[in-house]
């Protein structure tokens, strides 16, 4: 792949490219190789389409930066979906709306609510092009709205006859020394139907849907939080496993493990 | 435009506190398009949600205030003192003999610039004290300019305290023709002074105002209206800035106590650091006055000021932090020798007696000076004081971009709020301990030390996890509907057992246990009344 230094960058983007290069986000010494890909393969596609490209380049670079730093996100998938939808974006704002929806699909569940709002305004053709499926735009909107655990690209699933027994599993967490968030094995708590994690003095809230998960840092555990129940196994009374149910999913923690397993949905 | 002048008007485009920007958004969703590359694009919804002019979002207001802060410290008031210290992880401390200099590991602030800005945001009353020429009035003028007033209007609206100042000078005059022609008081029209209608009010050298005029000022400050000849002028909500050259009311006139009590936060000026002399040279050479070159980007409209205040109010105070503030406040009112009846053993009782409070308090010789924090003050904290403390804690957390108040926010803001509210008993044994004499002079450090000692005691008592009074209060707060007679008797017994456990601890009663005992007696009485009613009903 050609170095960014070798690329012909339009004059209007030169200042921004230089800023990113200075911050080691672009070029040969980039900390985020995908940033080079965005600038080499995607941004050139915008030039013939839109007149004011600098604000778009800034916004998309920032979005990619956040996705690269988000542990559960899949920035490659974000770029892939964005590429798929680009031909149907007629306005710069449509492209930004698409970028926000794609960020949700690429593993940022905190964007679900906003993305669902945007879905209502995106052109049908654009929405259909984002997913590798045969669903119509209206079916996609209805299905994604109806369940946080329906994946349009899942095998033989329909929004109506979606199989609730098919649990989607995320594995999250990890020891901080190995790139995870936890210094100590995490403990689970439940408060107001939300699942919380405590590790040492640090606290997170778990957000999740079919596309990804997020450990949202919080200053404190809610005052009324109760510890997750220990799993009782008659053969192994001290199994050291704890299960929390809330917000439509289950999380399993082990006494000595830094990892958390997320099961969804809960069978009721 | 002159390059020097242009540099003065430059406002940083980079986020002033990127970490906290993310934190605040975590309460909703972080902005995908803001980040290290340029300014990015703001999502459309942000502007639409708040309906603010010039596309200003609520998040932008916190950022705008931070930009105002950094513009002031960088260009207007040279105050290189980061005395409001925040740490993110370990800090580095360097020792100079028995003194220490801390190098903060997180964004820290200069109180002299930050606190007036917070006062501007929450529209309270700020007193700037310090020697002449330190920038007190300049700081106050800047706040007026930030509120959108032309600098000349702000200067003209300053009320300069002087010994001949009359109520008419302060508030306005009745029109002479009306005075002659009026048949009754209602017909007298008053020419009200313009400053009364401004959202930033500045009183320079307020301790030089004669006592009678101070009383008129008190009405405006306290009740937000002015009155002359039975005519009333309702003032808008406004931020007050008062300056005084000397502390402890050492101006021409003694400041009346009620007026001092209305002051919400006290800010001390610090000296000019001579290493920054170079910053003054362009001002002299180019005749630049910072208040005249305030960048328009950091000027707030009326709507924005209202929104700013509303945003501050939304910041939460988590229960663990609330408990520590409660515990701290409970340390100061109790005074055993002040009364015979339990409820009257307070400094308030002492205050109403002709005896010297210091002499009475000196009778308590069996208290540990590091534990009996109440010994160090001659009064307790008033409700107004607590309200102000909570509000400024919220303002500081909001300024830092956090959705909730952190304990460190309380620790940092508390000394400035209680500076004039907690009166030091400089004869307390605490100040005789090695290295503590300095706290008689440095009140800010003293108050911060008081809070630290209170937190240490809180931790030692394991109050975060073991607080039976809170548990009983929470049970009571759930209401009495459906509580049965046996349950009431059980709770009454629990209260009595708890009170007896206090009495068994031996030694003098601690101030916090006094407050706990008062609360338990209250709960006991409420349950007793309820029990009587239950028995009558059946």
């Amino acid at each position: 792949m050609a170095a960014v230094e070798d690329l012909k960058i339009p004059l209007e983007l030169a200042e921004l490219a230089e800023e990113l290069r200075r911050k080691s986000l672009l070029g040969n010494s980039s900390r985020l190789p995908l940033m080079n890909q965005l600038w080499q393969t995607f941004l050139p596609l915008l030039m013939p389409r839109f007149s004011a490209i600098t604000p778009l380049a800034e916004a998309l670079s920032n979005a990619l930066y956040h996705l690269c730093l988000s542990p559960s996100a899949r920035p490659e998938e974000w770029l892939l979906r964005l590429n798929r939808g680009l031909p149907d974006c007629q306005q710069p704002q449509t492209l930004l709306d698409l970028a926000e929806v794609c960020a949700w699909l690429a593993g940022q569940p905190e964007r679900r609510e906003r993305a669902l709002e945007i879905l209502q305004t995106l052109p049908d053709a654009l929405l259909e092009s984002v997913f590798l499926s045969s669903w119509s735009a209206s079916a996609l909107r209805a299905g994604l709205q109806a369940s946080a655990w329906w994946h349009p690209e899942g095998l033989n699933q329909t929004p109506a006859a979606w199989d609730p027994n098919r649990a989607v599993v995320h594995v999250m967490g990890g020891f901080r020394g190995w790139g995870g968030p936890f210094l100590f094995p995490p403990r689970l708590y439940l408060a107001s139907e939300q699942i919380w994690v405590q590790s040492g003095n640090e606290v997170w809230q778990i957000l999740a849907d079919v596309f990804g998960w997020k450990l949202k840092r919080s200053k404190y555990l809610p005052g009324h939080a109760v510890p997750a129940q220990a799993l009782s196994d008659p053969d192994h009374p001290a199994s050291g496993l704890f299960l929390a149910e809330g917000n439509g999913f289950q999380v399993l923690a082990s006494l000595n493990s830094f990892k958390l397993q997320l099961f969804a949905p809960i069978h009721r | 435009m002159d390059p020097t002048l242009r540099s003065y008007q430059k406002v940083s485009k980079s986020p002033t506190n990127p970490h906290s920007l993310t934190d605040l958004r975590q309460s909703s969703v972080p902005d995908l398009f803001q980040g290290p590359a340029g300014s990015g694009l703001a999502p459309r919804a942000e502007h639409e949600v708040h309906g603010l002019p010039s596309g200003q979002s609520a998040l932008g207001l916190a950022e705008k205030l931070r930009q105002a802060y950094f513009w002031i410290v960088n260009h207007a008031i040279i105050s290189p003192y980061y005395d409001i210290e925040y740490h993110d992880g370990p800090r580095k401390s360097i020792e100079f003999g028995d003194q220490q200099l801390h190098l903060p590991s997180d964004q820290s602030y200069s109180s002299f610039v930050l606190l007036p800005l917070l006062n501007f945001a929450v529209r309270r009353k700020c007193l700037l004290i310090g020697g002449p020429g330190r920038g007190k009035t300049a700081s106050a003028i800047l706040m007026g300019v930030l509120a959108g007033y032309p600098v000349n209007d702000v200067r003209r609206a300053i009320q300069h305290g002087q010994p001949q100042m009359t109520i008419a000078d302060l508030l306005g005059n009745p029109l002479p023709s009306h005075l002659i022609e009026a048949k009754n008081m209602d017909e007298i029209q008053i020419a009200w002074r313009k400053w009364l209608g401004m959202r930033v009010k500045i009183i320079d050298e307020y301790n030089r105002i004669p006592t009678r005029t101070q009383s008129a000022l008190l009405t405006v400050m306290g009740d937000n209206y002015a009155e002359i000849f039975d005519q009333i002028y309702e003032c808008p909500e406004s931020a007050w800035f008062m300056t005084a050259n000397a502390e402890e009311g050492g101006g021409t006139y003694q400041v009346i106590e009620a007026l001092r009590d209305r002051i919400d936060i006290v800010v001390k000026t610090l000296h000019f650091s001579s290493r920054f002399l170079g910053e003054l040279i362009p001002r002299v050479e180019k005749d630049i006055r910072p208040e005249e070159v305030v960048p328009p980007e950091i000027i707030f409209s009326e709507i924005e000021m209202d929104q700013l205040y509303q945003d501050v109010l939304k910041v939460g105070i988590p229960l663990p932090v609330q408990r520590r503030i409660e515990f701290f406040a409970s340390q100061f009112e109790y005074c055993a020798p002040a009364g015979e009846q339990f409820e009257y053993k307070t400094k308030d009782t002492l205050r109403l007696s002709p005896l010297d409070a210091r002499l009475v308090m000196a009778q308590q010789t069996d208290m540990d000076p590091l534990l009996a924090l109440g010994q160090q003050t001659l009064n307790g904290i008033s409700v107004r004081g607590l309200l102000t403390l909570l509000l400024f804690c919220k303002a500081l957390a909001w300024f830092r971009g956090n959705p909730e108040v952190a304990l460190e926010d309380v620790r940092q803001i508390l000394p400035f709020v209680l500076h004039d509210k907690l009166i030091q008993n400089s004869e307390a044994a605490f100040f005789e301990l090695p290295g503590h004499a300095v706290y008689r002079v440095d009140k800010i450090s003293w108050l911060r030390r008081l809070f630290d000692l209170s937190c240490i005691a809180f931790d030692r008592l394991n109050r975060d996890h073991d607080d039976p009074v809170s548990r009983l209060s929470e049970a009571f707060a759930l209401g009495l509907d459906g509580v049965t007679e046996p349950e009431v008797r059980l709770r009454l017994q629990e209260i009595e057992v708890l009170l007896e456990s206090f009495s068994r601890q031996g030694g003098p009663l601690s101030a916090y246990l006094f407050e706990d005992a008062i609360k338990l007696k209250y709960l006991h009485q409420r349950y007793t009344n309820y029990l009587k009613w239950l028995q009558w009903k059946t």
Side-chain angles (χ1 to χ4, degrees), chain A residues 31-35 62-71 73 75-76 108:
Chain A
R31 291 177 280 132
L32 311 174
L34 266 179
M35 192 66 86
N62 284 333
L64 183 63
Y65 170 80
H66 290 303
L67 284 157
C68 288
L69 296 190
S70 171
E76 301 87 351
Q108 292 201 319

mmCIF file with all atom_site columns, all heavy atoms in Angstrom, chain A residues 31-35 62-71 73 75-76 108:
data_model
loop_
_atom_site.group_PDB
_atom_site.id
_atom_site.type_symbol
_atom_site.label_atom_id
_atom_site.label_alt_id
_atom_site.label_comp_id
_atom_site.label_asym_id
_atom_site.label_entity_id
_atom_site.label_seq_id
_atom_site.pdbx_PDB_ins_code
_atom_site.Cartn_x
_atom_site.Cartn_y
_atom_site.Cartn_z
_atom_site.occupancy
_atom_site.B_iso_or_equiv
_atom_site.pdbx_formal_charge
_atom_site.auth_seq_id
_atom_site.auth_comp_id
_atom_site.auth_asym_id
_atom_site.auth_atom_id
_atom_site.pdbx_PDB_model_num
ATOM 1   N N   . ARG A 1 31  ? -0.747  5.275  14.110 1.00 0.00 ? 31  ARG A N   1
ATOM 2   C CA  . ARG A 1 31  ? -1.117  4.268  15.105 1.00 0.00 ? 31  ARG A CA  1
ATOM 3   C C   . ARG A 1 31  ? -2.350  3.505  14.649 1.00 0.00 ? 31  ARG A C   1
ATOM 4   O O   . ARG A 1 31  ? -2.692  2.468  15.196 1.00 0.00 ? 31  ARG A O   1
ATOM 5   C CB  . ARG A 1 31  ? -1.432  4.954  16.443 1.00 0.00 ? 31  ARG A CB  1
ATOM 6   C CG  . ARG A 1 31  ? -0.215  5.545  17.121 1.00 0.00 ? 31  ARG A CG  1
ATOM 7   C CD  . ARG A 1 31  ? -0.609  6.260  18.405 1.00 0.00 ? 31  ARG A CD  1
ATOM 8   N NE  . ARG A 1 31  ? -1.139  7.588  18.157 1.00 0.00 ? 31  ARG A NE  1
ATOM 9   C CZ  . ARG A 1 31  ? -2.248  8.066  18.678 1.00 0.00 ? 31  ARG A CZ  1
ATOM 10  N NH1 . ARG A 1 31  ? -2.975  7.312  19.457 1.00 0.00 ? 31  ARG A NH1 1
ATOM 11  N NH2 . ARG A 1 31  ? -2.660  9.296  18.414 1.00 0.00 ? 31  ARG A NH2 1
ATOM 12  N N   . LEU A 1 32  ? -3.067  4.041  13.663 1.00 0.00 ? 32  LEU A N   1
ATOM 13  C CA  . LEU A 1 32  ? -4.311  3.425  13.200 1.00 0.00 ? 32  LEU A CA  1
ATOM 14  C C   . LEU A 1 32  ? -4.183  3.138  11.699 1.00 0.00 ? 32  LEU A C   1
ATOM 15  O O   . LEU A 1 32  ? -4.478  4.006  10.875 1.00 0.00 ? 32  LEU A O   1
ATOM 16  C CB  . LEU A 1 32  ? -5.512  4.348  13.444 1.00 0.00 ? 32  LEU A CB  1
ATOM 17  C CG  . LEU A 1 32  ? -5.635  4.957  14.842 1.00 0.00 ? 32  LEU A CG  1
ATOM 18  C CD1 . LEU A 1 32  ? -6.792  5.957  14.872 1.00 0.00 ? 32  LEU A CD1 1
ATOM 19  C CD2 . LEU A 1 32  ? -5.894  3.870  15.869 1.00 0.00 ? 32  LEU A CD2 1
ATOM 20  N N   . PRO A 1 33  ? -3.739  1.930  11.337 1.00 0.00 ? 33  PRO A N   1
ATOM 21  C CA  . PRO A 1 33  ? -3.542  1.635  9.905  1.00 0.00 ? 33  PRO A CA  1
ATOM 22  C C   . PRO A 1 33  ? -4.810  1.867  9.086  1.00 0.00 ? 33  PRO A C   1
ATOM 23  O O   . PRO A 1 33  ? -4.725  2.234  7.910  1.00 0.00 ? 33  PRO A O   1
ATOM 24  C CB  . PRO A 1 33  ? -3.154  0.149  9.913  1.00 0.00 ? 33  PRO A CB  1
ATOM 25  C CG  . PRO A 1 33  ? -2.682  -0.137 11.293 1.00 0.00 ? 33  PRO A CG  1
ATOM 26  C CD  . PRO A 1 33  ? -3.388  0.810  12.199 1.00 0.00 ? 33  PRO A CD  1
ATOM 27  N N   . LEU A 1 34  ? -5.967  1.678  9.712  1.00 0.00 ? 34  LEU A N   1
ATOM 28  C CA  . LEU A 1 34  ? -7.206  1.861  8.950  1.00 0.00 ? 34  LEU A CA  1
ATOM 29  C C   . LEU A 1 34  ? -7.419  3.309  8.510  1.00 0.00 ? 34  LEU A C   1
ATOM 30  O O   . LEU A 1 34  ? -8.126  3.579  7.549  1.00 0.00 ? 34  LEU A O   1
ATOM 31  C CB  . LEU A 1 34  ? -8.403  1.426  9.790  1.00 0.00 ? 34  LEU A CB  1
ATOM 32  C CG  . LEU A 1 34  ? -8.889  -0.002 9.613  1.00 0.00 ? 34  LEU A CG  1
ATOM 33  C CD1 . LEU A 1 34  ? -10.066 -0.264 10.526 1.00 0.00 ? 34  LEU A CD1 1
ATOM 34  C CD2 . LEU A 1 34  ? -9.308  -0.276 8.173  1.00 0.00 ? 34  LEU A CD2 1
ATOM 35  N N   . MET A 1 35  ? -6.800  4.237  9.254  1.00 0.00 ? 35  MET A N   1
ATOM 36  C CA  . MET A 1 35  ? -6.930  5.647  8.889  1.00 0.00 ? 35  MET A CA  1
ATOM 37  C C   . MET A 1 35  ? -6.307  5.873  7.504  1.00 0.00 ? 35  MET A C   1
ATOM 38  O O   . MET A 1 35  ? -6.851  6.613  6.683  1.00 0.00 ? 35  MET A O   1
ATOM 39  C CB  . MET A 1 35  ? -6.254  6.518  9.946  1.00 0.00 ? 35  MET A CB  1
ATOM 40  C CG  . MET A 1 35  ? -6.549  7.999  9.844  1.00 0.00 ? 35  MET A CG  1
ATOM 41  S SD  . MET A 1 35  ? -8.277  8.389  10.169 1.00 0.00 ? 35  MET A SD  1
ATOM 42  C CE  . MET A 1 35  ? -8.246  8.516  11.947 1.00 0.00 ? 35  MET A CE  1
ATOM 43  N N   . ASN A 1 62  ? -12.621 11.395 12.500 1.00 0.00 ? 62  ASN A N   1
ATOM 44  C CA  . ASN A 1 62  ? -12.921 11.334 13.938 1.00 0.00 ? 62  ASN A CA  1
ATOM 45  C C   . ASN A 1 62  ? -13.732 10.079 14.273 1.00 0.00 ? 62  ASN A C   1
ATOM 46  O O   . ASN A 1 62  ? -13.498 9.425  15.286 1.00 0.00 ? 62  ASN A O   1
ATOM 47  C CB  . ASN A 1 62  ? -13.698 12.569 14.387 1.00 0.00 ? 62  ASN A CB  1
ATOM 48  C CG  . ASN A 1 62  ? -12.800 13.786 14.496 1.00 0.00 ? 62  ASN A CG  1
ATOM 49  O OD1 . ASN A 1 62  ? -11.607 13.642 14.734 1.00 0.00 ? 62  ASN A OD1 1
ATOM 50  N ND2 . ASN A 1 62  ? -13.354 14.962 14.298 1.00 0.00 ? 62  ASN A ND2 1
ATOM 51  N N   . ALA A 1 63  ? -14.705 9.770  13.416 1.00 0.00 ? 63  ALA A N   1
ATOM 52  C CA  . ALA A 1 63  ? -15.540 8.588  13.664 1.00 0.00 ? 63  ALA A CA  1
ATOM 53  C C   . ALA A 1 63  ? -14.681 7.331  13.659 1.00 0.00 ? 63  ALA A C   1
ATOM 54  O O   . ALA A 1 63  ? -14.795 6.479  14.549 1.00 0.00 ? 63  ALA A O   1
ATOM 55  C CB  . ALA A 1 63  ? -16.633 8.503  12.598 1.00 0.00 ? 63  ALA A CB  1
ATOM 56  N N   . LEU A 1 64  ? -13.784 7.248  12.682 1.00 0.00 ? 64  LEU A N   1
ATOM 57  C CA  . LEU A 1 64  ? -12.923 6.061  12.603 1.00 0.00 ? 64  LEU A CA  1
ATOM 58  C C   . LEU A 1 64  ? -12.005 5.985  13.824 1.00 0.00 ? 64  LEU A C   1
ATOM 59  O O   . LEU A 1 64  ? -11.768 4.911  14.379 1.00 0.00 ? 64  LEU A O   1
ATOM 60  C CB  . LEU A 1 64  ? -12.100 6.108  11.309 1.00 0.00 ? 64  LEU A CB  1
ATOM 61  C CG  . LEU A 1 64  ? -11.221 4.885  11.074 1.00 0.00 ? 64  LEU A CG  1
ATOM 62  C CD1 . LEU A 1 64  ? -12.056 3.624  10.922 1.00 0.00 ? 64  LEU A CD1 1
ATOM 63  C CD2 . LEU A 1 64  ? -10.339 5.055  9.848  1.00 0.00 ? 64  LEU A CD2 1
ATOM 64  N N   . TYR A 1 65  ? -11.522 7.135  14.233 1.00 0.00 ? 65  TYR A N   1
ATOM 65  C CA  . TYR A 1 65  ? -10.657 7.195  15.419 1.00 0.00 ? 65  TYR A CA  1
ATOM 66  C C   . TYR A 1 65  ? -11.386 6.610  16.632 1.00 0.00 ? 65  TYR A C   1
ATOM 67  O O   . TYR A 1 65  ? -10.848 5.780  17.357 1.00 0.00 ? 65  TYR A O   1
ATOM 68  C CB  . TYR A 1 65  ? -10.290 8.668  15.659 1.00 0.00 ? 65  TYR A CB  1
ATOM 69  C CG  . TYR A 1 65  ? -9.592  8.958  16.958 1.00 0.00 ? 65  TYR A CG  1
ATOM 70  C CD1 . TYR A 1 65  ? -8.228  8.724  17.100 1.00 0.00 ? 65  TYR A CD1 1
ATOM 71  C CD2 . TYR A 1 65  ? -10.278 9.484  18.048 1.00 0.00 ? 65  TYR A CD2 1
ATOM 72  C CE1 . TYR A 1 65  ? -7.568  8.991  18.295 1.00 0.00 ? 65  TYR A CE1 1
ATOM 73  C CE2 . TYR A 1 65  ? -9.640  9.756  19.242 1.00 0.00 ? 65  TYR A CE2 1
ATOM 74  C CZ  . TYR A 1 65  ? -8.289  9.514  19.354 1.00 0.00 ? 65  TYR A CZ  1
ATOM 75  O OH  . TYR A 1 65  ? -7.649  9.782  20.540 1.00 0.00 ? 65  TYR A OH  1
ATOM 76  N N   . HIS A 1 66  ? -12.643 7.035  16.844 1.00 0.00 ? 66  HIS A N   1
ATOM 77  C CA  . HIS A 1 66  ? -13.414 6.523  17.997 1.00 0.00 ? 66  HIS A CA  1
ATOM 78  C C   . HIS A 1 66  ? -13.655 5.021  17.873 1.00 0.00 ? 66  HIS A C   1
ATOM 79  O O   . HIS A 1 66  ? -13.563 4.294  18.859 1.00 0.00 ? 66  HIS A O   1
ATOM 80  C CB  . HIS A 1 66  ? -14.752 7.251  18.122 1.00 0.00 ? 66  HIS A CB  1
ATOM 81  C CG  . HIS A 1 66  ? -14.594 8.678  18.545 1.00 0.00 ? 66  HIS A CG  1
ATOM 82  N ND1 . HIS A 1 66  ? -13.958 9.028  19.701 1.00 0.00 ? 66  HIS A ND1 1
ATOM 83  C CD2 . HIS A 1 66  ? -14.974 9.834  17.966 1.00 0.00 ? 66  HIS A CD2 1
ATOM 84  C CE1 . HIS A 1 66  ? -13.939 10.342 19.811 1.00 0.00 ? 66  HIS A CE1 1
ATOM 85  N NE2 . HIS A 1 66  ? -14.561 10.861 18.771 1.00 0.00 ? 66  HIS A NE2 1
ATOM 86  N N   . LEU A 1 67  ? -13.973 4.581  16.677 1.00 0.00 ? 67  LEU A N   1
ATOM 87  C CA  . LEU A 1 67  ? -14.237 3.150  16.483 1.00 0.00 ? 67  LEU A CA  1
ATOM 88  C C   . LEU A 1 67  ? -12.981 2.322  16.743 1.00 0.00 ? 67  LEU A C   1
ATOM 89  O O   . LEU A 1 67  ? -13.049 1.246  17.322 1.00 0.00 ? 67  LEU A O   1
ATOM 90  C CB  . LEU A 1 67  ? -14.746 2.898  15.056 1.00 0.00 ? 67  LEU A CB  1
ATOM 91  C CG  . LEU A 1 67  ? -16.201 3.300  14.841 1.00 0.00 ? 67  LEU A CG  1
ATOM 92  C CD1 . LEU A 1 67  ? -16.481 3.568  13.374 1.00 0.00 ? 67  LEU A CD1 1
ATOM 93  C CD2 . LEU A 1 67  ? -17.138 2.221  15.354 1.00 0.00 ? 67  LEU A CD2 1
ATOM 94  N N   . CYS A 1 68  ? -11.837 2.844  16.314 1.00 0.00 ? 68  CYS A N   1
ATOM 95  C CA  . CYS A 1 68  ? -10.591 2.098  16.529 1.00 0.00 ? 68  CYS A CA  1
ATOM 96  C C   . CYS A 1 68  ? -10.267 1.992  18.009 1.00 0.00 ? 68  CYS A C   1
ATOM 97  O O   . CYS A 1 68  ? -9.635  1.041  18.443 1.00 0.00 ? 68  CYS A O   1
ATOM 98  C CB  . CYS A 1 68  ? -9.431  2.768  15.792 1.00 0.00 ? 68  CYS A CB  1
ATOM 99  S SG  . CYS A 1 68  ? -9.531  2.569  14.012 1.00 0.00 ? 68  CYS A SG  1
ATOM 100 N N   . LEU A 1 69  ? -10.683 2.989  18.795 1.00 0.00 ? 69  LEU A N   1
ATOM 101 C CA  . LEU A 1 69  ? -10.372 2.963  20.222 1.00 0.00 ? 69  LEU A CA  1
ATOM 102 C C   . LEU A 1 69  ? -11.431 2.220  21.039 1.00 0.00 ? 69  LEU A C   1
ATOM 103 O O   . LEU A 1 69  ? -11.261 2.003  22.227 1.00 0.00 ? 69  LEU A O   1
ATOM 104 C CB  . LEU A 1 69  ? -10.245 4.390  20.768 1.00 0.00 ? 69  LEU A CB  1
ATOM 105 C CG  . LEU A 1 69  ? -9.098  5.223  20.196 1.00 0.00 ? 69  LEU A CG  1
ATOM 106 C CD1 . LEU A 1 69  ? -8.952  6.507  20.990 1.00 0.00 ? 69  LEU A CD1 1
ATOM 107 C CD2 . LEU A 1 69  ? -7.785  4.461  20.231 1.00 0.00 ? 69  LEU A CD2 1
ATOM 108 N N   . SER A 1 70  ? -12.537 1.877  20.397 1.00 0.00 ? 70  SER A N   1
ATOM 109 C CA  . SER A 1 70  ? -13.610 1.207  21.123 1.00 0.00 ? 70  SER A CA  1
ATOM 110 C C   . SER A 1 70  ? -13.343 -0.300 21.103 1.00 0.00 ? 70  SER A C   1
ATOM 111 O O   . SER A 1 70  ? -13.234 -0.909 20.039 1.00 0.00 ? 70  SER A O   1
ATOM 112 C CB  . SER A 1 70  ? -14.942 1.542  20.436 1.00 0.00 ? 70  SER A CB  1
ATOM 113 O OG  . SER A 1 70  ? -15.953 0.755  20.972 1.00 0.00 ? 70  SER A OG  1
ATOM 114 N N   . PRO A 1 71  ? -13.201 -0.935 22.297 1.00 0.00 ? 71  PRO A N   1
ATOM 115 C CA  . PRO A 1 71  ? -12.741 -2.332 22.319 1.00 0.00 ? 71  PRO A CA  1
ATOM 116 C C   . PRO A 1 71  ? -13.669 -3.309 21.602 1.00 0.00 ? 71  PRO A C   1
ATOM 117 O O   . PRO A 1 71  ? -13.204 -4.313 21.067 1.00 0.00 ? 71  PRO A O   1
ATOM 118 C CB  . PRO A 1 71  ? -12.635 -2.651 23.814 1.00 0.00 ? 71  PRO A CB  1
ATOM 119 C CG  . PRO A 1 71  ? -13.303 -1.549 24.537 1.00 0.00 ? 71  PRO A CG  1
ATOM 120 C CD  . PRO A 1 71  ? -13.398 -0.377 23.628 1.00 0.00 ? 71  PRO A CD  1
ATOM 121 N N   . ALA A 1 73  ? -15.711 -2.547 19.040 1.00 0.00 ? 73  ALA A N   1
ATOM 122 C CA  . ALA A 1 73  ? -16.111 -2.130 17.689 1.00 0.00 ? 73  ALA A CA  1
ATOM 123 C C   . ALA A 1 73  ? -15.265 -2.817 16.617 1.00 0.00 ? 73  ALA A C   1
ATOM 124 O O   . ALA A 1 73  ? -14.149 -3.268 16.878 1.00 0.00 ? 73  ALA A O   1
ATOM 125 C CB  . ALA A 1 73  ? -15.985 -0.621 17.564 1.00 0.00 ? 73  ALA A CB  1
ATOM 126 N N   . PRO A 1 75  ? -13.997 -1.572 13.264 1.00 0.00 ? 75  PRO A N   1
ATOM 127 C CA  . PRO A 1 75  ? -13.905 -0.448 12.326 1.00 0.00 ? 75  PRO A CA  1
ATOM 128 C C   . PRO A 1 75  ? -13.820 -0.883 10.865 1.00 0.00 ? 75  PRO A C   1
ATOM 129 O O   . PRO A 1 75  ? -14.285 -0.157 9.987  1.00 0.00 ? 75  PRO A O   1
ATOM 130 C CB  . PRO A 1 75  ? -12.636 0.289  12.775 1.00 0.00 ? 75  PRO A CB  1
ATOM 131 C CG  . PRO A 1 75  ? -11.938 -0.595 13.731 1.00 0.00 ? 75  PRO A CG  1
ATOM 132 C CD  . PRO A 1 75  ? -12.921 -1.580 14.265 1.00 0.00 ? 75  PRO A CD  1
ATOM 133 N N   . GLU A 1 76  ? -13.253 -2.082 10.606 1.00 0.00 ? 76  GLU A N   1
ATOM 134 C CA  . GLU A 1 76  ? -13.170 -2.548 9.209  1.00 0.00 ? 76  GLU A CA  1
ATOM 135 C C   . GLU A 1 76  ? -14.570 -2.725 8.642  1.00 0.00 ? 76  GLU A C   1
ATOM 136 O O   . GLU A 1 76  ? -14.849 -2.364 7.493  1.00 0.00 ? 76  GLU A O   1
ATOM 137 C CB  . GLU A 1 76  ? -12.436 -3.899 9.112  1.00 0.00 ? 76  GLU A CB  1
ATOM 138 C CG  . GLU A 1 76  ? -11.030 -3.914 9.641  1.00 0.00 ? 76  GLU A CG  1
ATOM 139 C CD  . GLU A 1 76  ? -10.956 -4.192 11.133 1.00 0.00 ? 76  GLU A CD  1
ATOM 140 O OE1 . GLU A 1 76  ? -12.019 -4.214 11.789 1.00 0.00 ? 76  GLU A OE1 1
ATOM 141 O OE2 . GLU A 1 76  ? -9.836  -4.355 11.638 1.00 0.00 ? 76  GLU A OE2 1
ATOM 142 N N   . GLN A 1 108 ? -21.222 -0.592 18.273 1.00 0.00 ? 108 GLN A N   1
ATOM 143 C CA  . GLN A 1 108 ? -21.388 0.462  19.290 1.00 0.00 ? 108 GLN A CA  1
ATOM 144 C C   . GLN A 1 108 ? -22.872 0.514  19.700 1.00 0.00 ? 108 GLN A C   1
ATOM 145 O O   . GLN A 1 108 ? -23.643 1.331  19.173 1.00 0.00 ? 108 GLN A O   1
ATOM 146 C CB  . GLN A 1 108 ? -20.926 1.809  18.744 1.00 0.00 ? 108 GLN A CB  1
ATOM 147 C CG  . GLN A 1 108 ? -19.418 1.862  18.510 1.00 0.00 ? 108 GLN A CG  1
ATOM 148 C CD  . GLN A 1 108 ? -18.883 3.275  18.463 1.00 0.00 ? 108 GLN A CD  1
ATOM 149 O OE1 . GLN A 1 108 ? -19.497 4.158  17.880 1.00 0.00 ? 108 GLN A OE1 1
ATOM 150 N NE2 . GLN A 1 108 ? -17.731 3.490  19.072 1.00 0.00 ? 108 GLN A NE2 1
#
